[in-house]
Amino acid sequence: MTVTAIVQNYLPNEKRVRVSLEAKGLRWWGRTQDITVPSRGTATADFRVKAPPGTEAVLLGKALSDEESDAIELTVPVIPFGVRKTESRGGSFGGSDSSAETTLAFPPDAEPGSRRIELSVAPSVGGTVFEALDYLTAYPYGCTEQTMSSFVPNIIVSQATRSLGLKARVDEAELKKKIQAGLDRLYDFQHEDGGWGWWKTDDTDLFMTSYVVTGLAQAMVAGQNVDEDRVARGAAWLARANVSKEPLDLQAYAAYALAEARHPDTGRLNRLFEQRGKLKPYGAALLGLALDAVQDPRAATIADELERSARVTTLEASWPQDADDLMHIYTDTTPEATASVLRLLTARKPGSELLAKAAAYLVNHRSQGYYWNSTKQTAMVIYGLTGYMKASGELKPDFTVNVEVNGKQVLTKRFSAEDPLTPATLEVASAALGEGDNKIRVSRSGAGRVYWSARGSHYSANTAGAMRGSRSLSVERAYYKLTPEPRDGKIVHRMEPFEGKASAGDVIAVRLRVRSGGQWRYLMIEDPIPSGAEIVERDNLYEMDQKPDWWGYYFTRREYRDDRAVFFQTYAEDRDSTYVYLIKMVNPGEYRVSPARVEPMYEPDLYAVSAAQTLEVSR
């Protein structure tokens, strides 16, 4: 592509300027150019660069004259081409076991330089919790659920570590900023009726409102400055909502939210207790937590029943559940159900032998490496593990861990009682990884339990999706060139098929068509843009000649980022949905554009991708 250096001359005389470019991580041509810059004017110098496989490029531009000089350095990510694919492994060992081994495989079609393995070892359940907090804090999007999940778990964990007299890894000053930003966003998202939807513009939703009311109530108990009126309005919506047609698990969660907010609905609690035989493990645990919140002794009854219904192995205990009735989606919810039962047993049966086994199950089944299936599931599991962390006393490690990849030692870490919450993490780059199986070995010397995870990732030009089951999902992408024409004193744009070649300054319409078979909820469509393009923010200002009937703005939310356009759709059912946006070509060059991707946000193992694109942009 072409990188342009723009030189501004603020001096009273024109200047002869030597402009240079250095580019670490890139190949580049024409390292210096001499240009004349007029007084109080600008001039440019173009440099051609090529991006080989890598992770980032550092560009250093200099403008040197005989009187004044300047320079600028920019770090720019180099994003591999193709579809990002991941695979995770994890587990724990202690006692007589002193090591664990696993493999992560990379296919032949992995893009050069894109292979990565993220490794983590932690000396306690608390260490795994802090890893997961990093994922929630760094998550790039912010719907109602993700906003709640980004800061309330940090509050709960920070409070727990303080009560244990431990030094937390949480930056309190930074956390304070995040809490206020999260509260401001939630206040802005609250509807006039008092409830919340997935996004600000959605209809009020029973789960989302319950989740916010619960989280804000917990933040208040933890000493945060929360607007009590906001909580009361949300609780009032929950109290008057007709929940009779909702799944019983969701009814139990709404009852739990009211109990946490100190507005318990005794009638609902009684009805749910009478129907507890119809509740799934998740719902039963939530009902037990609601009863526990109001100090109702019937919580012990539910704890006893759940303890008897556990699926127990030598090392683990879990409460399997194959559907998430809180969000009306079909996905493995066993981690959330198990975490909620763990919370109840920790409160009501702290001596239960199932506590350690349930915690082991949760840590051993981190489906995405160091976190769980989604932001919601990760937050729910953190709540369960935090209570266990306080009760377990598993905070005095005394061992050294060694990690080997393909027979080469890549990490050594000594853990002691001084740092029971600090995991050790490492990323192994492509140079140390081969095609096919890569062997990982984690070993321990000393006393304690090791919790480990390994997550392999690579990019592939293979666009085969991963859809399974009776539902179908697909996405197609098409480009159209907009040609401006003067007409009656104004500019209108004619849309033409894009043939793969454009000029700098051309505007391209991007059409994404998502076809959904069956019922889908909480879809996210991400479309990477060419690296030499910019998204047109005010696309509604472009007047079209014979705008096609599919051109519209039918989405729940749209966000534009530096490198992609993102659309969110709350519901999709047996229909085609079309999303349109505009990009403007800025930098000349030849570009590969990675496929667009559609996925249900809370079922990340299911996704579909479009074909890739190649385009050429001339000056």
Side-chain angles (χ1 to χ4, degrees), residues 54-55 77-81 459 563 594:
T55 57
V78 178
I79 302 174
F81 171 74
Y459 284 77
D563 60 351
S594 292

PDB file of all heavy atoms in Angstrom, residues 54-55 77-81 459 563 594:
ATOM      1  N   GLY A  54       3.151 -10.821  10.460  1.00  0.00           N
ATOM      2  CA  GLY A  54       3.685 -10.220  11.679  1.00  0.00           C
ATOM      3  C   GLY A  54       2.564  -9.792  12.580  1.00  0.00           C
ATOM      4  O   GLY A  54       1.388 -10.058  12.310  1.00  0.00           O
ATOM      5  N   THR A  55       2.893  -9.129  13.658  1.00  0.00           N
ATOM      6  CA  THR A  55       1.886  -8.691  14.613  1.00  0.00           C
ATOM      7  C   THR A  55       1.683  -7.179  14.620  1.00  0.00           C
ATOM      8  O   THR A  55       0.597  -6.702  14.916  1.00  0.00           O
ATOM      9  CB  THR A  55       2.263  -9.131  16.031  1.00  0.00           C
ATOM     10  OG1 THR A  55       3.562  -8.602  16.354  1.00  0.00           O
ATOM     11  CG2 THR A  55       2.302 -10.642  16.131  1.00  0.00           C
ATOM     12  N   PRO A  77      -1.188  -2.135  13.972  1.00  0.00           N
ATOM     13  CA  PRO A  77      -1.304  -3.596  13.963  1.00  0.00           C
ATOM     14  C   PRO A  77      -1.263  -4.158  12.544  1.00  0.00           C
ATOM     15  O   PRO A  77      -1.745  -3.534  11.605  1.00  0.00           O
ATOM     16  CB  PRO A  77      -2.664  -3.848  14.614  1.00  0.00           C
ATOM     17  CG  PRO A  77      -3.440  -2.592  14.363  1.00  0.00           C
ATOM     18  CD  PRO A  77      -2.436  -1.475  14.397  1.00  0.00           C
ATOM     19  N   VAL A  78      -0.681  -5.333  12.424  1.00  0.00           N
ATOM     20  CA  VAL A  78      -0.720  -6.087  11.172  1.00  0.00           C
ATOM     21  C   VAL A  78      -1.660  -7.273  11.412  1.00  0.00           C
ATOM     22  O   VAL A  78      -1.315  -8.204  12.141  1.00  0.00           O
ATOM     23  CB  VAL A  78       0.677  -6.584  10.754  1.00  0.00           C
ATOM     24  CG1 VAL A  78       0.585  -7.415   9.470  1.00  0.00           C
ATOM     25  CG2 VAL A  78       1.616  -5.402  10.553  1.00  0.00           C
ATOM     26  N   ILE A  79      -2.846  -7.211  10.848  1.00  0.00           N
ATOM     27  CA  ILE A  79      -3.869  -8.228  11.098  1.00  0.00           C
ATOM     28  C   ILE A  79      -3.760  -9.300  10.028  1.00  0.00           C
ATOM     29  O   ILE A  79      -3.839  -9.001   8.832  1.00  0.00           O
ATOM     30  CB  ILE A  79      -5.274  -7.599  11.087  1.00  0.00           C
ATOM     31  CG1 ILE A  79      -5.347  -6.505  12.153  1.00  0.00           C
ATOM     32  CG2 ILE A  79      -6.340  -8.659  11.324  1.00  0.00           C
ATOM     33  CD1 ILE A  79      -6.646  -5.723  12.129  1.00  0.00           C
ATOM     34  N   PRO A  80      -3.585 -10.549  10.417  1.00  0.00           N
ATOM     35  CA  PRO A  80      -3.480 -11.618   9.409  1.00  0.00           C
ATOM     36  C   PRO A  80      -4.749 -11.714   8.566  1.00  0.00           C
ATOM     37  O   PRO A  80      -5.846 -11.361   9.009  1.00  0.00           O
ATOM     38  CB  PRO A  80      -3.271 -12.883  10.247  1.00  0.00           C
ATOM     39  CG  PRO A  80      -2.747 -12.392  11.554  1.00  0.00           C
ATOM     40  CD  PRO A  80      -3.393 -11.064  11.772  1.00  0.00           C
ATOM     41  N   PHE A  81      -4.581 -12.231   7.377  1.00  0.00           N
ATOM     42  CA  PHE A  81      -5.696 -12.411   6.452  1.00  0.00           C
ATOM     43  C   PHE A  81      -6.439 -13.700   6.779  1.00  0.00           C
ATOM     44  O   PHE A  81      -5.836 -14.707   7.156  1.00  0.00           O
ATOM     45  CB  PHE A  81      -5.164 -12.471   5.015  1.00  0.00           C
ATOM     46  CG  PHE A  81      -6.198 -12.863   4.000  1.00  0.00           C
ATOM     47  CD1 PHE A  81      -7.186 -11.991   3.615  1.00  0.00           C
ATOM     48  CD2 PHE A  81      -6.175 -14.129   3.435  1.00  0.00           C
ATOM     49  CE1 PHE A  81      -8.135 -12.347   2.672  1.00  0.00           C
ATOM     50  CE2 PHE A  81      -7.118 -14.504   2.498  1.00  0.00           C
ATOM     51  CZ  PHE A  81      -8.096 -13.609   2.115  1.00  0.00           C
ATOM     52  N   TYR A 459      -5.038 -17.937  11.730  1.00  0.00           N
ATOM     53  CA  TYR A 459      -5.922 -17.427  10.675  1.00  0.00           C
ATOM     54  C   TYR A 459      -5.826 -18.353   9.482  1.00  0.00           C
ATOM     55  O   TYR A 459      -4.759 -18.883   9.169  1.00  0.00           O
ATOM     56  CB  TYR A 459      -5.528 -16.006  10.274  1.00  0.00           C
ATOM     57  CG  TYR A 459      -5.949 -14.954  11.263  1.00  0.00           C
ATOM     58  CD1 TYR A 459      -5.243 -14.757  12.446  1.00  0.00           C
ATOM     59  CD2 TYR A 459      -7.058 -14.153  11.019  1.00  0.00           C
ATOM     60  CE1 TYR A 459      -5.628 -13.785  13.358  1.00  0.00           C
ATOM     61  CE2 TYR A 459      -7.448 -13.179  11.934  1.00  0.00           C
ATOM     62  CZ  TYR A 459      -6.733 -13.005  13.094  1.00  0.00           C
ATOM     63  OH  TYR A 459      -7.129 -12.049  13.989  1.00  0.00           O
ATOM     64  N   ASP A 563     -11.130  -0.618  11.944  1.00  0.00           N
ATOM     65  CA  ASP A 563     -10.843  -1.687  10.979  1.00  0.00           C
ATOM     66  C   ASP A 563     -12.049  -2.519  10.588  1.00  0.00           C
ATOM     67  O   ASP A 563     -11.917  -3.481   9.847  1.00  0.00           O
ATOM     68  CB  ASP A 563      -9.763  -2.619  11.542  1.00  0.00           C
ATOM     69  CG  ASP A 563     -10.201  -3.269  12.851  1.00  0.00           C
ATOM     70  OD1 ASP A 563     -11.247  -2.876  13.406  1.00  0.00           O
ATOM     71  OD2 ASP A 563      -9.475  -4.178  13.321  1.00  0.00           O
ATOM     72  N   SER A 594     -10.412  -9.688   4.512  1.00  0.00           N
ATOM     73  CA  SER A 594     -10.842 -10.916   5.174  1.00  0.00           C
ATOM     74  C   SER A 594     -12.361 -11.057   5.118  1.00  0.00           C
ATOM     75  O   SER A 594     -13.091 -10.072   4.966  1.00  0.00           O
ATOM     76  CB  SER A 594     -10.377 -10.925   6.629  1.00  0.00           C
ATOM     77  OG  SER A 594      -8.966 -11.026   6.707  1.00  0.00           O
TER      78      SER A 594
END
